[in-house]
Amino acid sequence: MFSPDASVQGSVSVRNPRRRQRTTSEDSVAIRENPKRRKRSLLAPDTFEAPAHRQVNGHLHHGNGDAAYNRQATEPLARRDASVDTASLAIRNRSTQRLEKDKQGSERNEGVVLTRNDNYIVTQSPEIPDALRNILGTVKWHAELFSSLGYALALTRTEAIIWRYKQNTTSSEFSRPLVVKLPHPPSNTNHPLPLGLLLHDSGSGELALLVVMPVSGRVAYWDNVSSAAKVDLVRQRQPAFQSIISGMLSGENITKLIAAELDGFILTSSTGRVVHLRVKDPQGRPVVSADYLRINSASNGGMFGGLKSVFSSAGWKKDVAAVRVGASHGKNHCPCIIASTKGLFQVWDVIRNSASSLAFEVDAKDEMRRSIGKVCPEVTYLDDDTFSLVDFAIFPSAGNQGNFANHRLLVLTAHTGSSSSQYTLLDLTIQDGIVDIDVVHPITCYSELQYPGDPRKPQLLLPDPAHTAFLVFARSITLVSLSRIEESPDSQLQIESHTLPDPFQDTLYFRMESEYYVAGCCTETQDRASKIASSTFLVHGFGLVHVASLPAKEGQSPLGRTAVTAKTKMEQAIFFGNMPHNLLDFFGRTELSFKNEEIEAAALEINDSIMKSTSDYIPAITPSMDQQLQARSKALADLAMYLQKYHVNLKKATRWQLLWSAEKMAAARAIWQTHSANLASVDAREKSLLAELCDMMNEESKIENQPDRGETDVVRHYLINDIWRIELVVPWAEQAVEELYKEGVQDPVRQAKLISQADDIQICALEAAFAFRTANATLYGIIDDIEDGILQNGYEDLPEIWTSIPETVQKVKALADLSREAAINSDETELEVQTLIKLARDNPRLVHICCQVHEERCRWLKSRPEGYRVAEGEALSRKYLAVRKDLIVRIIDLELPDEAVKLAEKYRDMQALVEIHIKDLENCFERLDQPGISGSEEEEMSARIDLIQQRMATYFTTFGTPWANAFFSKHIAQNQLSQLFDSTHDLRAPLTKFLRSKPEYAKIGWIQEVIGERNYELAADNLMRVQKQESSVWSKKIELSIGKLAILAAEEKGQVQKDARENMNQKADRLMAIIKIQDSLDAYIRPTIKMAIDTTAETEIAMAKFYNHLVECKPALRNAIYHSLKKLIAREVLRTDDMIDMLTLIDMDGDLDSPDAHGFSEKRFYLALTLLRLCKLTKTDPNRNDLHQKIIWRRCMIQDDWEEINKTELQDDAEVARKTATTAVFQTLRAGHKDGYFENLDLVSPSNLLTAGTTVSSLRSSSRYASFSDRSLELLARDFKQEAKVLEEALGKGRLEMWWKGVVDAAKSSVREEADKQGAESAKRAETAKVLAEKMGLRRPGSKVMNGDVNGPVERDEQGDVIMQ
């Protein structure tokens, strides 16, 4: 037996002479169902017991990190690979057949899809036995996968665990791992873990195991692992063949072990030396021998030869990057290619039972650097410190078979920067010492951060067919397409214009929050006809992952598989990123950056595919429609979260478009759920309304279903294909009911059910949409104010909103009316009570969504730039207020007053709220007045009345002024003023506030000020304000009179000062004087019309008698006089301007038999001037005052025939004076001087009156005519010119200018003479009274008689006090 301490320089043979003879292939030591053979397995009952905990420490090579092993599948998973009896791992002559069956089974089964796209698919394979998880629970380990065998090998410090990872059965018995105890395990826990390989033993055909201890160099080989699977080394029926690798240096470790053909292996040491290890001698007997690869090793023997080999360039290379073995050629030869980190390649001829020889070597460093520099201009500097060869792979092509002179390689290089490494793939050929680089593939989708001391190095996998390379990093896997673009005119143009896209490449990142990393990997061999390149990875903490790179689709060029698009990345993140326990991280791609426009377009495209069920990731048809809708809803939500997570700057319209799509999906799901519930509760023979409307909608509103293709369910077909335009369903719900009515549906029960289903469609769709918008707007980056589902502002950049299209606004209101009327007017004996109750209870919800869609539509229209749209919005707003009030108030007809109150309160519709409470009170009082009412019902109504009254009282505080305005306005409109003034003290303050805020209610407000507030000053102010708008002469007199009384009361109460009282009294007296002038005019005209039959006749008679002569040829003035006369006869208040016209244009040639006729005739012009004075326009409107004054004087002067007056021949002075004294000028001057009006007034001469008002500009200067049109002013100026023409004749032939001064003096003299005469008469009366008093003895000594008392002379004492007799 071989001694483990013995060392050999060449080959050492170790045999066990007492070994049993090999049995037949059917006689395996594995555990089988045959009880006779069960004893051959010495597995103890506790062999596969689970440890107490599940911590696992595993790493790619020899790391020390700890991590929790996450189990994934909590439910049965689809099996991808076949399974065999892992307790019986003996593979003999039938092994090849079994493997073929395994491959067929693996092609039929699939695992859990972690991600997929058009280029690749990643699945999780469930072939990690629970027992294996337990075994690896507390130790450090690393693994190797062997695709050709279908087995995986995990190595700990003391054990080798073997299990089949390609399964074709689900039996748990065949999933148990096989544990092999290792001889001479490392004594130091810090030493590297053992290295191992699984292979077919060339002699027995069984599964064999080779294990190498890296530090000690000990080698153990089991030609049948089934025999090695025992509890301990002593009880193993067949111990391992053992040896030790001689010639290892101090501190040198074995770092890599790979299989070579011909029962050989290649080992790489930490010093860069390469060892050829063999386990069979030329006769096929088990033996362990090792040879170092040396140049000219055959001719250099002895001690010095050994030292030379140790220190020669070929045997001492610390920078070996990778070693690969090619396919064997001949019977005993195979090539071994060694690559250094600096780019030196050596090709060795490895001979089965002889020393290996170096075929050739080539230094490709400079050529690789130049090629990389040409393709990657950003890599400006590559030297020995920054450039390194990381790994390489041999292309699995027939051209490499058996040809030492020609090898096509794929090389992975790294350019190490200060903080990260950039990688490049080179497709090159080494031939007879020459390097030919064909293609350079820069890795643009991945750059690795540098972690000091990280032992895990990148690996390169090149599965057959070699159209895709797999770059294995510690926490990621990169796929790089190696497809070449055929030369064509298009590709040539793209090359010249630098627009040729890079070949496809993408990186699969592991999630950072878990300790995932690749612990082992291998390429998979597929049927070349499938053209699928795949690899399998054992990921620490997760399990087995299978990555398959798919071939190009039929007819697809390599250019079609080039770029990784934003859409592809987003779809992976959306459809797989939120999968529970997914290995992959689809976020944080720093290497791939897309423009906002690309992301926006991709988001809309993905959104569209989800809405139209064209996405490859969501099945269009599922057994559960609700689950299909839920999956689409989740995809839309994941899309929104992806965009939010990366702060994608989308356009506002795009954000809203995505939100609207999600709203539509929520609406569709709500509609389906209600529809599904209705299907379970209605007669199967009755077609649902949703199905009816889906049939009715035209082809422009849906995708037509094809019954001949099995598309018979119109509702499901619509929800699958047409949710993106579901806004059409909402108005069609009501329209479909109308169409069915037209088609002859007359059954009341059927009608009510159709209306109820229409309610369900509209309510479910819109309520779900508005609720979703309110809850999720921020998820879509919408920070605008949204209240009750309605955007409050910011509609400017938005297209028409789907929830408030015109048809929806119209039909929701129509359905609310239809549903309400159906509930009110239907006969309970014909319909189910529950149907009526549902119709009634649905109506408030319909009213609510009706208000929502109206408000949204109005806001959107008003935000449009088009003027006609804004006008449409304003009109709709006004209509909406009326519609809202009517719909809310009429809910009370359904005996749902509380629901009506809630809506009115919600929308703060105070008018509706007042009417609801008034109607509710009226209904309660009517119920109380009904005969035979029960006591309990009477108590209920009384309590209801108290509740309503209390609630109304609280509204004055809750809603304040708006409620008070509506409440009091309603009472005023219903003539219920007495209820307001007689109300409780609680209403006094709000009533006063309301009346004070409403000037139009001042006529009522002064009453509240007097009887409620005792505020006489405000009462007087209200009365003075009211009289300004008063049209009735009588009412105006009363208001002025009461106002004067109120101001006196206010002075008495100390509410006003004396000066304020005097100012208000003077204003009232002035207004009363104006009314008195109107009364005098009315008194003059009234007697002539008392026999008229109606108002029109009165006006015509007065017009003919008093005004036709002067205004007959003056249409503008005639029209004005006519309207003023109508108002005068109707006892309406005249404007002072109109009254001046009536006073100055009246014809005095009429009947003068009236007692007041002569007095009115003499002073009518003076009354006009008095009106002008009372208006006080001198300072406030001087132009108007000046124009009116001139017009009055002009009309006064042309009232008489001055040409006739000027004829004084044959007349004495008395006659001339008499004729002058009868003129209107004289009488007006005399009246003015008598009152002292003209004392300080400069009278205008007649010649200055000619141009007054004769031009449009002169009229426009007066505020009276500021609003008149030019045409009206032209007509008026024409009439004034006629007056000026008459005056001009009077100035000419009548010499009025010369008469004017004389008449003025004569008027003054007449006034003086009259005053003197009155003074003389007064003195005479006083003297007479004095004499009579003395004679009668009524006068005391020292007293005197004073004049001025209305009752005659009054005697006063020396202090001036009246002496009472």
Side-chain angles (χ1 to χ4, degrees), residues 857-863 867-881:
R857 183 68 182 176
C858 292
R859 293 175 187 271
W860 182 81
L861 286 172
K862 292 177 183 179
S863 69
Y868 75 94
R869 287 285 198 180
V870 177
E872 183 182 351
E874 296 291 347
L876 184 61
S877 293
R878 293 189 293 270
K879 180 181 178 182
Y880 161 61
L881 295 178

Side-chain angles (χ1 to χ4, degrees), residues 461-532:
L461 300 180
L462 187 59
D464 189 18
H467 59 68
T468 302
F470 294 75
L471 309 185
V472 185
F473 300 97
R475 300 181 62 85
S476 63
I477 301 169
T478 298
L479 285 74
V480 181
S481 174
L482 304 179
S483 300
R484 298 190 181 186
I485 299 174
E486 297 180 0
E487 292 187 6
S488 65
D490 292 339
S491 63
Q492 186 64 31
L493 290 174
Q494 289 179 314
I495 292 174
E496 293 176 356
S497 60
H498 303 287
T499 59
L500 185 68
D502 295 330
F504 162 77
Q505 52 182 264
D506 195 7
T507 299
L508 303 172
Y509 290 87
F510 299 165
R511 292 190 174 180
M512 297 298 296
E513 61 269 17
S514 300
E515 290 295 328
Y516 296 145
Y517 58 85
V518 177
C521 59
C522 70
T523 61
E524 297 289 344
T525 302
Q526 301 284 348
D527 183 5
R528 294 187 66 88
S530 68
K531 298 181 180 180
I532 297 176

Side-chain angles (χ1 to χ4, degrees), residues 645-851:
K645 183 174 183 178
Y646 289 100
H647 309 286
V648 181
N649 186 21
L650 300 177
K651 296 177 183 177
K652 181 179 180 179
T654 302
R655 294 182 183 278
W656 276 97
Q657 189 65 46
L658 297 175
L659 174 59
W660 291 337
S661 294
E663 292 171 8
K664 291 178 180 180
M665 196 62 67
R669 192 176 179 199
I671 290 175
W672 170 256
Q673 290 174 347
T674 304
H675 172 73
S676 182
N678 288 336
L679 290 178
S681 61
V682 300
D683 190 346
R685 294 171 297 177
E686 292 183 355
K687 195 173 183 180
S688 69
L689 180 67
L690 185 58
E692 293 281 7
L693 72 86
C694 287
D695 273 338
M696 291 180 184
M697 296 171 72
N698 56 41
E699 61 277 4
E700 296 179 356
S701 303
K702 65 178 181 179
I703 296 177
E704 292 286 352
N705 60 308
Q706 303 295 330
D708 56 338
R709 298 181 181 178
E711 298 172 354
T712 57
D713 192 334
V714 293
V715 175
R716 283 183 170 85
H717 186 269
Y718 184 89
L719 293 178
I720 290 172
N721 299 284
D722 295 295
I723 288 180
W724 60 278
R725 47 187 168 190
I726 201 172
E727 64 270 16
L728 302 179
V729 170
V730 177
W732 259 104
E734 194 275 342
Q735 184 66 32
V737 175
E738 294 183 6
E739 296 296 330
L740 291 172
Y741 282 5
K742 295 177 183 178
E743 293 177 4
V745 176
Q746 300 296 331
D747 180 17
V749 176
R750 175 65 172 157
Q751 290 179 348
K753 289 182 178 180
L754 289 174
I755 296 173
S756 176
Q757 292 179 34
D759 290 352
D760 292 338
I761 293 173
Q762 288 195 353
I763 291 173
C764 291
L766 293 177
E767 281 187 348
F770 287 125
F772 186 91
R773 185 182 301 169
T774 302
N776 297 279
T778 54
L779 175 63
Y780 290 82
I782 298 172
I783 58 175
D784 298 319
D785 185 18
I786 294 178
E787 184 177 342
D788 195 26
I790 306 301
L791 180 64
Q792 300 301 302
N793 48 58
Y795 287 84
E796 289 73 14
D797 299 327
L798 299 182
E800 190 173 50
I801 303 175
W802 76 275
T803 48
S804 57
I805 61 175
E807 295 81 3
T808 297
V809 174
Q810 176 186 356
K811 291 300 182 179
V812 171
K813 196 267 181 185
L815 184 60
D817 291 334
L818 181 62
S819 177
R820 182 186 61 251
E821 296 305 319
I824 294 174
N825 300 326
S826 298
D827 189 352
E828 293 186 7
T829 60
E830 297 181 359
L831 298 181
E832 297 179 359
V833 176
Q834 292 300 323
T835 302
L836 292 177
I837 293 175
K838 181 181 179 301
L839 289 175
R841 290 180 176 176
D842 284 346
N843 195 256
R845 298 170 68 186
L846 279 173
V847 173
H848 180 208
I849 63 176
C850 182
C851 294

Side-chain angles (χ1 to χ4, degrees), residues 56-76:
V56 70
N57 282 327
H59 37 82
L60 187 58
H61 292 291
H62 312 290
N64 297 321
D66 295 339
Y69 200 104
N70 281 338
R71 296 196 53 194
Q72 299 297 313
T74 59
E75 57 184 5

